[in-house]
Every structure is written in structure tokens, then in C-alpha cells.
Amino acid sequence: MPILPALGDSVRKREAMKKITSFVGGTSGAWRILSMETVAGEPLSLATHLDILDSNLSENFSGNWQLRGSRSYERYTNHEEHEQLIQKSPPLGRPEANSAALIPIQKTDLWWQLSQDERRKIFEEESHHIEIGMAYLPAIARRLYHSKDLGEPFDFLTWFEFDSKDKLAFDKLLKELRQSKEWTYVQREIDIRLVRS
Amino acid sequence: MPILPALGDSVRKREAMKKITSFVGGTSGAWRILSMETVAGEPLSLATHLDILDSNLSENFSGNWQLRGSRSYERYTNHEEHEQLIQKSPPLGRPEANSAALIPIQKTDLWWQLSQDERRKIFEEESHHIEIGMAYLPAIARRLYHSKDLGEPFDFLTWFEFDSKDKLAFDKLLKELRQSKEWTYVQREIDIRLVRS
């Protein structure tokens, strides 16, 4: 006799699935794509618009591509950095933040085979990733989505929102990060720039 | 005109999806379930057998439940521990390892809101999680699957394989871990014991 799963599980699973966000590139959406630059690795096919959906899409979606990520817990920040980030980070969706960037990133197998302390050392002590990002707060709002465990082609989806007057500052932020030791472990990166439709 | 996704992406995605493993509880499978004990939180519905599939099942599966997890990178081990684990860890599937345990675990929100260094401190310096597990190698083979980012009801699926003569040692290992400070952050845990069908 088959035994049905406990109701609580399906309810909890539905709740948890909301954690997964889908970035769908297609011909319509809340954001208009200005440019898609392949910084490293294989390109992503072009799209004119992007939609961000708080759900886990099925294989049947109407866009040209979908990239999925999960809001997750912090992997490298220590307690002090964590507190500073909470204090300085602006929310997404600020009315003045009319510009955005979606930068999907994939790191090398070598990176993932490093131990936690080795990755932390490269990430912050040698590359100052948190420190650099912090210098651009609150102007550049940022959210990280984790994709690696989802079996996605990218490991992370990084999302940034800012006032278009801060575009040069944002370019400078990226330049600093891309010159860091951490970035020698990046094997695929697409820089997608957007404005609200 | 719709633009098709690059072929490379779908190939890479298929490859990556193999990383996700499904544990399916039902009425048939390679492992026979001896017991399912709810250690904390809500129970999981009973099943008599378990199958382990190297794939991401759709919503239409034939078992009573499926739990999915991703083999991922290490979150807490430092370089020295990492090297020791590689050296001491046996492979899965040893002929003499006729017994197994699947222990899905969910931790509290409080745990996930801690910073990386706070979690590491509780995990190892205060709870000796790696040290305790290491003491039972190579008898108790172990593999961790990450489920949290997948929107699953559990955060981890822990899988252990051992010779049935080492069952008491395995019980002792669990007892030590469950008495640790880390375990005060566990809010749901099911202890599923199995033998090869």
C-alpha cells in the first residue's frame, strides 16, 4: 500500500522553492538589455529583455535562456564584515536605481577543490573582494545567487542595481575585482547591462 | 526572431545535472530500509526500500518520497583536515559495506544567519565534527549531499556505508555528534538504516 508523503513536506517544499530565482532572457521583461559582453569563456545567446521570476521554472519556458540561482547563506564573510554589510547594504528596487547588471560567473575546478580556508584567503586577504564591494555601498546594491548546487552552467549569478549616474563607479568596481587574484579562477563570465523597461 | 541557446550550454547543463542525486523511498530499490527513526522535527512517511539515482528526477516519480542533494565543495574543512580526509576516506560501494544510513538534516534559521567564521567555530573548534568523523575512518565511509540551495525540505543528506559488524561504532559516532553544540542547531533529523536488498 503506497503511503503518501506528509503534507507538511510539500508545503515546506513549496515555501522553500520560492528561494530559487529565475533570470529569463527573452524578448520581453521588466528589464531591457543594453549589452551582453563575454568577459571569459563561452558566450550566452543574445536576448533583448530580462525577466526575474521568484520561482523555479520548468524546462518549458518562453525565453531564450534561463539562469537559476538560490539566495543562500554567506560563504566567506566573518562576523564583523557581516555586520558592516547589513548596516551599509541598500535594498533592491530603489526608485533611483534604474540601471542594473547581471553577471553570471563560473569558477574553475581548481577553485572548488581548494579547502575553505584557502578560498577565504584568496577571496578576502589577497583579493579584498568584500572590502572592494563595501567601498561602493550604498551606491551599488548587490545580491548574490548561488547556482552551483543546482546543476546550472554558472556557479553564481551576481546582480547589481544602481543609479545610471553611478555607472562609471560600477565599471571601476568591476575593474578592481577583475584584476584580483580571485579572478584568475574565473573561467566563464558574461557582463549583461540593463535598464528598466 | 527567437535565438536558440548555445549548444554548449545544454550539454554542460546535462553534465552538471548528473551532480544531483535523488534518494527515492518506495517499495523497491537497491537498499532495504530496516528502520526510520525521527530524531527531531516532523517525520518522513515510511517506505520499505530506497533507490539512489544519479539524476534529477521530475515531479513524477514512483516512490513515496524523493530527497535530492548535490555533491558540492567543502564548506568548513581547512587545508590540513582536507588532506587528512582525502588520505583516510574509503570509497563508497565496498563489498563488505553491506549496511548504510541515510540521515537527512535540517538546521535552524539561526544557524544559517551566523557568519562563516561563527559556523566554523561551532562546527569544529567547539563540536569537533571533523575530528569525530575522522576517528571512525576508514570503517565508516561517508558522503555529504547539499540540499539547501535546491529548495529541498532538508539542508543536507548524509550517507554512511559500513560493515554491519561496525554498527555499534556507527551508533557511537552519531551519539557523539548529537551531544555536540552544533546539534543544538538541528531542527529536523531522520535516521534511516538500511541493508543491501
Side-chain angles (χ1 to χ4, degrees):
Chain A
M1 186 183 78
I3 298 153
L4 293 172
L7 180 63
D9 270 330
S10 54
V11 171
R12 193 178 302 107
K13 185 162 180 174
R14 249 195 332 270
E15 286 303 308
M17 289 307 266
K18 289 183 189 164
K19 257 187 29 172
I20 295 180
T21 300
S22 292
F23 293 82
V24 180
T27 51
S28 67
W31 294 87
R32 184 163 60 81
I33 297 178
L34 297 176
S35 64
M36 289 178 64
E37 184 200 348
T38 304
V39 181
E42 195 182 337
L44 196 63
S45 61
L46 296 179
T48 60
H49 291 75
L50 181 83
D51 241 350
I52 305 175
L53 305 173
D54 281 335
S55 67
N56 191 9
L57 287 186
S58 74
E59 292 297 313
N60 304 313
F61 65 99
S62 60
N64 298 344
W65 41 260
Q66 69 163 325
L67 301 173
R68 299 177 315 133
S70 181
R71 292 187 64 181
S72 193
Y73 57 98
E74 293 170 359
R75 307 288 159 95
Y76 301 110
T77 43
N78 66 29
H79 181 69
E80 197 188 319
E81 293 154 353
H82 176 79
E83 294 297 315
Q84 279 185 46
L85 283 172
I86 287 175
Q87 201 140 38
K88 293 188 76 178
S89 296
L92 295 187
R94 292 173 295 173
E96 68 274 24
N98 51 354
S99 292
L102 172 65
I103 307 188
I105 284 173
Q106 184 189 36
K107 285 183 172 169
T108 60
D109 288 344
L110 186 60
W111 171 262
W112 295 113
Q113 284 156 12
L114 294 174
S115 61
Q116 176 68 27
D117 60 334
E118 289 170 319
R119 279 183 272 110
R120 159 73 199 192
K121 188 175 165 226
I122 296 166
F123 181 85
E124 191 57 24
E125 278 69 47
E126 299 182 344
S127 303
H128 313 287
H129 189 130
I130 299 164
E131 187 187 328
I132 291 170
M134 200 103 71
Y136 293 88
L137 292 176
I140 314 291
R142 177 180 179 280
R143 182 174 286 172
L144 180 64
Y145 298 84
H146 289 264
S147 301
K148 188 171 174 62
D149 287 358
L150 274 57
E152 286 278 310
F154 294 94
D155 298 331
F156 311 99
L157 308 174
T158 55
W159 175 256
F160 303 88
E161 283 181 13
F162 47 92
D163 188 323
S164 56
K165 75 176 169 50
D166 290 318
K167 182 191 174 296
L168 289 180
F170 178 66
D171 289 339
K172 189 157 168 285
L173 161 62
L174 289 186
K175 196 177 169 194
E176 287 185 62
L177 287 174
R178 287 177 183 150
Q179 287 171 345
S180 70
K181 179 169 177 186
E182 184 195 352
W183 244 252
T184 64
Y185 294 91
V186 170
Q187 67 180 17
R188 193 176 183 204
E189 177 180 6
I190 319 286
D191 187 338
I192 305 171
R193 301 299 178 94
L194 317 97
V195 288
R196 290 192 194 279
S197 290
Chain B
M1 187 182 76
I3 300 153
L4 292 173
L7 179 64
D9 269 330
S10 55
V11 171
R12 192 179 303 106
K13 185 162 181 176
R14 247 194 335 271
E15 285 303 307
M17 290 306 268
K18 288 183 189 163
K19 258 188 27 173
I20 295 179
T21 299
S22 292
F23 293 82
V24 180
T27 52
S28 67
W31 294 87
R32 184 163 59 82
I33 297 178
L34 296 175
S35 64
M36 290 178 65
E37 185 201 346
T38 304
V39 181
E42 196 181 338
L44 195 63
S45 61
L46 296 179
T48 60
H49 291 74
L50 180 84
D51 241 351
I52 305 175
L53 306 173
D54 282 336
S55 65
N56 190 11
L57 286 187
S58 74
E59 292 296 312
N60 303 313
F61 65 100
S62 61
N64 299 344
W65 42 259
Q66 70 162 324
L67 301 173
R68 299 179 313 133
S70 182
R71 293 187 63 180
S72 193
Y73 57 98
E74 292 170 0
R75 308 289 158 95
Y76 300 110
T77 42
N78 65 30
H79 181 69
E80 197 188 321
E81 292 155 353
H82 176 79
E83 294 297 315
Q84 279 185 46
L85 283 171
I86 286 174
Q87 201 139 40
K88 294 189 76 175
S89 297
L92 296 187
R94 293 172 294 173
E96 69 273 23
N98 51 353
S99 292
L102 171 66
I103 308 188
I105 284 174
Q106 184 189 37
K107 285 183 172 169
T108 60
D109 289 344
L110 186 60
W111 171 262
W112 296 113
Q113 285 155 13
L114 294 173
S115 59
Q116 176 69 27
D117 60 334
E118 289 171 317
R119 278 182 274 108
R120 159 73 198 191
K121 189 175 166 228
I122 296 167
F123 182 85
E124 191 57 22
E125 278 67 49
E126 299 181 344
S127 301
H128 312 287
H129 189 129
I130 299 164
E131 187 187 329
I132 290 170
M134 200 103 71
Y136 293 89
L137 293 176
I140 314 289
R142 177 181 178 281
R143 182 174 286 171
L144 180 64
Y145 298 84
H146 290 264
S147 302
K148 189 172 174 61
D149 287 358
L150 275 57
E152 286 279 309
F154 294 94
D155 297 332
F156 311 99
L157 308 174
T158 56
W159 175 257
F160 304 89
E161 283 182 13
F162 47 92
D163 188 322
S164 57
K165 74 175 169 52
D166 291 317
K167 182 193 174 294
L168 288 181
F170 179 65
D171 289 339
K172 191 159 167 283
L173 160 62
L174 289 186
K175 197 177 167 192
E176 287 185 62
L177 287 174
R178 287 177 183 150
Q179 287 170 344
S180 70
K181 180 170 176 184
E182 184 195 353
W183 244 253
T184 64
Y185 294 91
V186 170
Q187 68 180 17
R188 192 175 182 203
E189 177 179 7
I190 319 286
D191 187 339
I192 306 172
R193 301 298 179 95
L194 315 96
V195 288
R196 290 191 194 278
S197 288

